[in-house]
């Protein structure tokens, strides 16, 4: 009679290790601030945040200190954390920096190679689909990725890192402006298409002009000059 092999123990699925508690709180708050679930002027308390993420107050304090350094919140002892509104000065500073970097990158990118054209075309189609479904936070992410791809194509790693530092401010401003001016979404997409066509045609002057018009309108809104 043949020997019977012992039953094989079922294979254990690898457990998914959660990020540290402070990192989970940080991500929760930052995502909520960037997509405006926590709006400027809102006061957040440690207890509410601890309950929302399911952690103790200690990692909440760690996350809040980190977010204060990044300029997203202001801590008030024994009261909580105030989500800082986006100021007109901050918008003007970001727009000025973006123009310096993005116009330079657009001039260097023209004529754009096939890889960049393909990436920008895909992002443009993504934005159209997201705008159609009303997902403004996703539109803002794709919008930012469109411009970042052009900056990255310039091949200057220092400028690329500088531009990356604007990421959170760009996303937050983008969502805020789209909520305040939903009619601008379609125009934004049209302006992205104009930038893409200028790069495809190899027209550096047209590309930088299109970038200037597109980026400057955010500053115009901050100054009350809506167009």
């Amino acid at each position: 009679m043949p020997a019977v092999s012992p039953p094989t123990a079922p294979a254990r699925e690898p457990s998914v290790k959660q990020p540290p508690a402070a990192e989970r709180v940080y991500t929760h708050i930052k995502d909520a601030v960037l997509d405006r679930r926590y709006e400027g002027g809102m006061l957040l308390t440690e207890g509410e945040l601890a309950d929302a993420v399911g952690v103790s107050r200690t990692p909440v304090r760690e996350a809040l200190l980190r977010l204060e350094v990044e300029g997203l919140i202001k801590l008030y002892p024994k009261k909580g954390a105030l989500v800082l509104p986006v100021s007109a000065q901050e918008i003007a500073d970001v727009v000025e920096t973006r123009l310096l970097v993005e116009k330079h990158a657009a001039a260097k990118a023209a004529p754009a190679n096939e890889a960049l054209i393909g990436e920008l075309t895909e992002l443009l189609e993504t934005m159209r689909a997201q705008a159609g479904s009303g997902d403004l936070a996703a539109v803002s992410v794709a919008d930012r990725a469109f411009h970042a791809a052009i900056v990255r194509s310039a091949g200057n790693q220092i400028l690329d890192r500088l531009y990356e530092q604007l990421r959170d401010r760009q996303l937050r401003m983008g969502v805020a402006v789209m909520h305040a001016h939903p009619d601008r979404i379609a125009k934004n997409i049209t302006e992205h298409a104009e930038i893409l066509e200028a790069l495809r045609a190899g027209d550096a002057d047209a590309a930088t002009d299109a970038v200037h018009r597109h980026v400057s309108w955010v500053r115009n809104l901050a100054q009350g000059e809506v167009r």
Side-chain angles (χ1 to χ4, degrees):
M1 189 172 179
V4 178
S5 302
T8 304
R12 290 184 179 180
E13 293 187 6
S15 59
V16 178
K17 188 176 180 181
Q18 278 196 318
E23 187 67 29
R24 298 204 308 274
V25 179
Y26 169 83
T27 301
H28 168 80
I29 300 172
K30 188 167 188 174
D31 288 349
V33 170
L34 293 182
D35 66 20
R36 297 180 77 252
R37 284 179 285 122
Y38 293 161
E39 296 192 43
M42 183 179 291
L43 187 67
L44 310 174
T45 67
E46 290 183 3
E48 291 170 340
L49 294 170
D51 291 342
V53 185
V55 297
S56 68
R57 294 195 180 195
T58 300
V60 172
R61 295 188 192 105
E62 292 178 31
L64 290 175
L65 286 170
R66 184 175 167 189
L67 289 161
E68 185 176 43
V69 170
E70 294 182 9
L72 291 179
I73 63 166
K74 173 68 176 176
L75 290 175
Y76 290 92
K78 299 182 180 179
K79 292 183 179 180
L82 181 72
V83 179
L84 293 176
V86 179
S87 68
Q89 185 60 54
E90 182 181 5
I91 292 174
D93 291 347
V94 169
V95 169
E96 183 177 15
T97 307
R98 285 188 62 188
L99 286 172
L100 289 171
V101 175
E102 292 188 38
K103 289 173 69 175
H104 169 77
K108 286 193 71 174
N113 58 39
E114 290 185 10
L116 179 59
I117 292 297
E119 183 177 5
L120 297 180
T121 300
E122 184 175 346
L123 286 167
L124 188 59
E125 291 307 313
T126 298
M127 277 185 275
R128 287 189 175 115
Q130 291 164 339
S133 65
D135 191 344
L136 301 188
V139 173
S140 186
V141 171
D143 182 312
R144 197 267 170 190
F146 183 96
H147 293 279
I150 298 172
V151 172
R152 192 168 56 251
S153 74
N156 186 319
Q157 294 184 4
I158 295 175
L159 281 182
D160 196 22
R161 285 195 293 270
L162 171 64
Y163 193 75
E164 185 61 28
Q165 292 174 13
L166 299 177
R167 176 182 181 276
D168 293 340
R169 286 184 169 89
Q170 284 180 253
L171 293 177
R172 190 179 180 203
M173 290 176 189
V175 175
V177 169
M178 287 179 193
H179 275 279
H181 302 274
D183 56 309
R184 272 292 318 188
I185 298 174
K187 191 166 186 180
N188 265 9
I189 292 173
T190 298
E191 290 172 357
H192 280 94
E194 291 171 356
I195 295 169
L196 173 56
E197 288 311 309
L199 291 174
R200 194 197 307 270
D203 190 334
D205 289 339
T208 56
D209 286 348
V211 167
H212 185 89
R213 289 193 306 273
H214 175 65
V215 175
S216 293
W217 79 269
V218 179
R219 180 172 53 197
N220 295 340
L221 284 177
Q223 296 172 343
E225 302 168 3
V226 181
R227 65 175 178 86

